[in-house]
Amino acid sequence: MSERRDKIPEPTIARLPSYFRCLVELQEADQEIVSSEELASLAGVKASQFRKDLSHFGEFGIQGLGYPVADLLDRIAAIMQLDQDHDVVLVGAGNLGSALANFPGFSRWGFRIVRIYDQAPDKIGRRLHGVTIRDVADLPCPLGLKLGILAVPPSGARAVAKLLIDSGVEALLNFTGSNLGHPDSVVVRNVDMTHELAILAYHLTGPLSLDEERPAR
Amino acid sequence: MSERRDKIPEPTIARLPSYFRCLVELQEADQEIVSSEELASLAGVKASQFRKDLSHFGEFGIQGLGYPVADLLDRIAAIMQLDQDHDVVLVGAGNLGSALANFPGFSRWGFRIVRIYDQAPDKIGRRLHGVTIRDVADLPCPLGLKLGILAVPPSGARAVAKLLIDSGVEALLNFTGSNLGHPDSVVVRNVDMTHELAILAYHLTGPLSLDEERPAR
């Protein structure tokens, strides 16, 4: 028996993409059966953790044999809604936004950036990965897209998030480094690259510097 | 009394950058005292969580008054080693690497990308944010840097990670979407943007598509 979708622990959900990626790789290598130990090791978790994560979604695998790769892949894809393509709106066509628009990993999993908005006059009208950059002031309401990526400077983050949420976006990937102050009905994943470096810095045994070349600041 | 550095729970460490960022904002707004409730709310956690996180590092704040902003900021900066600059090596000068080299958030917190490597002949010798892109085959050993960013395609991830680790890098920010299979002595933070979108897709009520414009695939 599987649990209600909204009762699944968030850390379990956050591990599903790793399982999915490992299963894709196993399938590409023509492996038909995988044990929980092998898959867990590939995904970098304990086998008991993997089995516990799966148990939230029902019965999987064959006792004493393992998991048929194709079947488990299909079921995890269905659970994650990765058995269908998802259209995505991107706001912010600067350096990071441009990199995201061209990021090959997205399309490989069925994520297609189909709308790109910015506010800079020199960007509006240009094309990025085949999509015309439009003026964020022209963002329609409703937009007709549920998934959004925010790659604007921190100062504009809240206002743009509000625009997207008002236009019907339900889930936001937030690269701005700002707290969006969003309503509970909207799901937000924050990717703060500076925070990630800071977490690494905590673990360093001590700093080292090179003196020869200084980057522009 | 504070605990041994390596005994602090990783989720606590992962929340410190948020506290640091909020304190910087409070200081910029000339606020001198902050309560645990206010700071926790700004950082998007519960006040009890914030107090528990701090308790790992010793005694903070003044009973009944709150925390002096400047003092707490200094102490958290020292705990995170953000009271000093950190020089960083970046491998991968493609779209994402270029965006990272130009990312303003890094220098604001004292992270300076001082070495950039790639393997593409058309990139080597060009400059990115004031730093000359060098041939990854010429990566010196030891490199003299402890912090590295990996922004290469998945296929090259493990080999480049090994090069960096052999050259003395202790901590890696991994954007490749690959499991690096690194030794335990090296700290790795994985930022997988496709996984983040997939986690959001899980939460969608159902997909929506626009038909007019298709991006290049």
Side-chain angles (χ1 to χ4, degrees):
Chain A
M1 183 139 46
S2 53
E3 299 171 33
R4 273 171 50 103
R5 209 169 173 75
D6 55 358
K7 295 290 178 210
I8 313 288
E10 198 62 32
T12 290
I13 298 164
R15 282 186 291 267
L16 293 179
S18 293
Y19 304 150
F20 178 80
R21 191 193 67 209
C22 295
L23 287 162
V24 168
E25 288 170 2
L26 290 171
Q27 193 175 52
E28 285 172 356
D30 291 327
Q31 182 168 333
E32 290 181 8
I33 299 285
V34 66
S35 67
S36 52
E37 286 75 15
E38 184 183 3
L39 189 60
S41 160
L42 289 170
V45 302
K46 289 185 177 155
S48 56
Q49 177 76 71
F50 169 68
R51 287 190 296 261
K52 183 150 189 269
D53 284 340
L54 278 195
S55 72
H56 292 290
F57 302 101
E59 299 283 338
F60 291 83
I62 301 159
Q63 188 73 35
L65 178 65
Y67 304 87
V69 169
D71 175 59
L72 186 56
L73 182 56
D74 284 351
R75 289 181 64 188
I76 290 185
I79 289 165
M80 301 214 69
Q81 311 203 60
L82 291 176
D83 52 352
Q84 54 202 293
D85 287 347
H86 293 278
D87 286 355
V88 180
V89 54
L90 165 69
V91 184
N95 285 312
L96 181 61
S98 300
L100 294 169
N102 289 295
F103 191 62
F106 288 160
S107 56
R108 225 175 279 137
W109 284 29
F111 296 106
R112 301 177 299 193
I113 295 177
V114 297
R115 287 282 185 277
I116 302 176
Y117 292 92
D118 202 292
Q119 60 171 5
D122 61 320
K123 296 205 180 82
I124 295 163
R126 278 180 35 212
R127 287 173 80 81
L128 200 50
H129 202 59
V131 178
T132 304
I133 301 169
R134 304 171 186 216
D135 189 342
V136 71
D138 297 335
L139 195 90
C141 183
L143 172 62
L145 293 170
K146 294 187 171 184
L147 204 45
I149 301 177
L150 220 58
V152 298
S155 56
R158 279 191 179 224
V160 173
K162 188 173 183 312
L163 264 182
L164 286 174
I165 293 165
D166 289 347
S167 78
V169 167
E170 291 178 357
L172 275 171
L173 186 50
N174 174 27
F175 286 94
T176 68
S178 283
N179 184 338
L180 299 183
H182 54 282
D184 287 345
S185 59
V186 176
V187 187
V188 173
R189 299 279 302 176
N190 297 302
V191 178
D192 191 311
M193 298 178 291
T194 311
H195 285 198
E196 296 296 328
L197 272 188
I199 294 164
L200 290 175
Y202 173 89
H203 291 284
L204 294 180
T205 54
L208 270 179
S209 280
L210 296 178
D211 286 327
E212 298 165 52
E213 192 173 32
R214 282 274 84 84
R217 293 205 80 153
Chain B
M1 185 139 48
S2 53
E3 298 172 32
R4 270 171 52 104
R5 207 166 173 79
D6 55 359
K7 295 291 179 209
I8 312 288
E10 198 61 31
T12 290
I13 299 164
R15 282 185 292 267
L16 293 179
S18 295
Y19 304 150
F20 179 80
R21 191 193 65 208
C22 295
L23 286 163
V24 168
E25 288 169 3
L26 289 172
Q27 192 175 52
E28 286 171 357
D30 290 327
Q31 183 169 331
E32 290 181 9
I33 299 285
V34 66
S35 67
S36 52
E37 287 74 17
E38 182 182 4
L39 188 60
S41 159
L42 289 170
V45 301
K46 289 186 178 154
S48 56
Q49 177 76 73
F50 169 68
R51 287 189 295 261
K52 184 150 187 271
D53 285 341
L54 278 196
S55 72
H56 292 291
F57 302 100
E59 299 284 338
F60 291 82
I62 301 159
Q63 188 72 34
L65 178 65
Y67 304 87
V69 169
D71 174 61
L72 187 56
L73 181 56
D74 284 350
R75 289 182 64 187
I76 290 185
I79 290 165
M80 303 213 70
Q81 312 202 57
L82 291 176
D83 52 351
Q84 53 202 290
D85 287 348
H86 293 278
D87 287 355
V88 180
V89 52
L90 164 70
V91 184
N95 285 312
L96 182 60
S98 301
L100 294 169
N102 289 294
F103 191 62
F106 288 161
S107 57
R108 224 175 281 135
W109 284 30
F111 296 106
R112 300 178 299 194
I113 295 177
V114 296
R115 285 283 184 277
I116 303 177
Y117 292 92
D118 202 290
Q119 61 171 6
D122 62 321
K123 296 206 180 81
I124 294 162
R126 276 180 35 211
R127 286 175 79 81
L128 200 51
H129 201 59
V131 178
T132 304
I133 302 169
R134 303 171 187 216
D135 188 341
V136 71
D138 297 334
L139 195 88
C141 183
L143 172 62
L145 293 171
K146 295 187 172 184
L147 205 44
I149 301 178
L150 221 57
V152 299
S155 57
R158 279 191 178 225
V160 173
K162 188 173 183 314
L163 264 183
L164 286 174
I165 292 165
D166 289 347
S167 77
V169 167
E170 292 178 356
L172 276 171
L173 186 50
N174 174 26
F175 286 95
T176 68
S178 283
N179 184 338
L180 298 184
H182 55 281
D184 287 344
S185 58
V186 176
V187 187
V188 173
R189 299 280 302 179
N190 297 302
V191 178
D192 191 312
M193 298 178 291
T194 312
H195 285 198
E196 295 297 327
L197 272 188
I199 294 165
L200 290 174
Y202 172 89
H203 291 283
L204 295 179
T205 54
L208 270 178
S209 280
L210 296 178
D211 286 328
E212 298 165 50
E213 191 174 35
R214 282 275 83 86
R217 293 203 78 149

